[in-house]
Amino acid sequence: IVSGWPTGSGGITATAVHSSQMNQVGIYRTEVGGAVYKFVGTVGRSVTTGVFPTTYHDHVPDTTLGANAPSDHDLMPTSLKRLKEFNNRLYAWGHLTYGERLYFSSLDAPDYWPLYQYGIDDPIETDTTLGGYVVMATPGDPIVTCISEGGAYGNTGNTGSGLLVLTKQRCYRWYGMDWTDFVRVEGPGVGCVSAMSAVNAGGVCVWVSRDGPVLLNSGAGFVMPIYKKIWPTLLANFLDTLKQDTAGNDYSGNVAGGWWGEWYLMSLTGTTGTVNEKGYAYHLPSDTWIEMSNTALATRLGANDFSSWQGPGDFGQLYYSDPVRGYLWRLFTTTTVSGVERTYWP
């Protein structure tokens, strides 16, 4: 940051920056005789040497200087556990004390976290792009996870305008780009027991609730209880099937989920009962479930997490981790709905 010199007069000498996590450095200066630092331009790494130049030449007149330099350097609140980029902000949740709060950074500035509270001290009169937080749920009902709703594979946050916020007990929606149009809306009264189970599949959101897996069409006011297709005569609460030891431990947070083509995959891992390591696949077009097993080892699935490969060479194949045997597995599908072959990837 440099105090004003005659407009567009030339260069400054700066200390080169070699941090491996930085690709650009912003340059700000005041107008001649001014006191407010405004954006001039950026300095980027050399494509040949990988280092920053030590001189920057300013040719920007005072009349066309950019936005004011950010002045709010509040750090992200501590004790947060999870992050998600959405609509050009970084969202965070999982505070040890305030688990019901959803925090968000300033617009296009993931390193600025001013704590304006939604509905209490909205910065409408100052800067609507600033960050803050919203009390999404009631105390004692912490946020489990957030996924974007709408758009093709909107879990990137690049499409769709709504953020689906899932707590243990309920579902909420968060809309808006800045403080002029932020709004919190209650969604279907069905919560989520495992952050790893929630996915967005082109506008269809699926997660595991206390009663089992449910499906929500984009913008809908109610969920579809797809668990009834897999356990039509289940008498006990779904969570009870994950509490098979004498201590009544809750293993629901270990349920993993993933979306693969036309399938929602669910794995019940880390339990001690009859469902331990069982895996199920829900076929959306036919509204049917099948139970998956590991044919390579003649065992249950045992998946800890799922990820679809989107890079070259193996595009579209699904991989999952196996914490017990230490393998990374790859799944293959056949042409039939019920046929799912799988093999491990050494």
Side-chain angles (χ1 to χ4, degrees):
I1 296 179
V2 179
S3 296
W5 57 78
T7 303
S9 65
I12 62 171
T13 300
T15 302
V17 180
H18 298 280
S19 170
S20 62
Q21 299 184 20
M22 298 177 65
N23 292 318
Q24 287 186 331
V25 174
I27 304 296
Y28 294 82
R29 71 166 172 86
T30 66
E31 299 173 348
V32 175
V36 178
Y37 292 100
K38 296 188 176 184
F39 181 71
V40 179
T42 58
V43 176
R45 290 180 179 275
S46 167
V47 295
T48 56
T49 65
V51 299
F52 289 94
T54 57
T55 302
Y56 178 84
H57 292 279
D58 168 40
H59 301 285
V60 181
D62 285 356
T63 54
T64 59
L65 288 173
N68 295 346
S71 59
D72 193 327
H73 292 267
D74 290 331
L75 299 176
M76 176 189 291
T78 59
S79 302
L80 296 175
K81 295 180 180 179
R82 299 182 65 86
L83 297 170
K84 178 175 176 58
E85 188 278 331
F86 180 73
N87 279 351
N88 298 325
R89 295 180 189 267
L90 193 61
Y91 282 81
W93 61 95
H95 197 285
L96 293 177
T97 304
Y98 305 109
E100 68 279 6
R101 292 182 181 180
L102 179 65
Y103 296 87
F104 51 91
S105 71
S106 295
L107 187 67
D108 296 321
D111 49 344
Y112 294 99
W113 295 79
L115 296 182
Y116 293 96
Q117 183 178 352
Y118 169 75
I120 303 296
D121 54 350
D122 301 13
I124 298 297
E125 303 299 328
T126 53
D127 186 351
T128 61
T129 69
L130 293 176
Y133 70 93
V134 53
V135 178
M136 189 61 65
T138 58
D141 186 22
I143 296 173
V144 175
T145 193
C146 299
I147 54 177
S148 57
E149 184 180 17
Y153 296 99
N155 57 317
T156 61
N158 296 326
T159 58
S161 59
L163 188 66
L164 203 64
V165 183
L166 299 169
T167 70
K168 287 276 189 179
Q169 305 293 335
R170 301 191 61 82
C171 169
Y172 302 87
R173 290 182 169 105
W174 175 251
Y175 296 108
M177 289 292 294
D178 58 42
W179 290 92
T180 63
D181 58 1
F182 280 153
V183 61
R184 169 192 173 279
V185 179
E186 289 207 32
V190 178
C192 176
V193 297
S194 173
M196 294 189 299
S197 72
V199 298
N200 179 305
V204 177
C205 295
V206 188
W207 66 88
V208 173
S209 71
R210 294 178 59 84
D211 296 321
V214 296
L215 182 148
L216 177 70
N217 288 306
S218 181
F222 57 90
V223 299
M224 298 172 57
I226 58 176
Y227 59 85
K228 290 187 176 180
K229 294 288 183 176
I230 190 172
W231 291 294
T233 59
L234 183 66
L235 299 179
N237 184 285
F238 171 72
L239 289 188
D240 292 338
T241 66
L242 305 182
K243 298 177 181 178
Q244 297 292 335
D245 59 5
T246 56
N249 291 317
D250 185 355
Y251 296 98
S252 58
N254 297 336
V255 178
W259 189 267
W260 186 34
E262 298 177 335
W263 299 83
Y264 173 73
L265 309 176
M266 180 181 68
S267 179
L268 309 176
T269 61
T271 71
T272 59
T274 58
V275 298
N276 182 39
E277 294 191 352
K278 279 192 174 182
Y280 299 87
Y282 173 74
H283 189 240
L284 181 62
S286 62
D287 191 26
T288 56
W289 286 87
I290 63 170
E291 183 174 342
M292 297 188 296
S293 60
N294 192 318
T295 56
L297 294 179
T299 62
R300 296 176 177 179
L301 186 65
N304 192 52
D305 201 3
F306 299 96
S307 180
S308 177
W309 178 259
Q310 300 299 310
D314 206 18
F315 182 82
Q317 297 298 337
L318 185 86
Y319 291 81
Y320 71 91
S321 60
D322 179 346
V324 177
R325 284 167 287 273
Y327 291 141
L328 180 67
W329 295 85
R330 182 171 65 176
L331 275 69
F332 298 89
T333 57
T334 64
T335 56
T336 60
V337 171
S338 60
V340 179
E341 298 177 356
R342 53 207 62 79
T343 183
Y344 73 91
W345 187 261

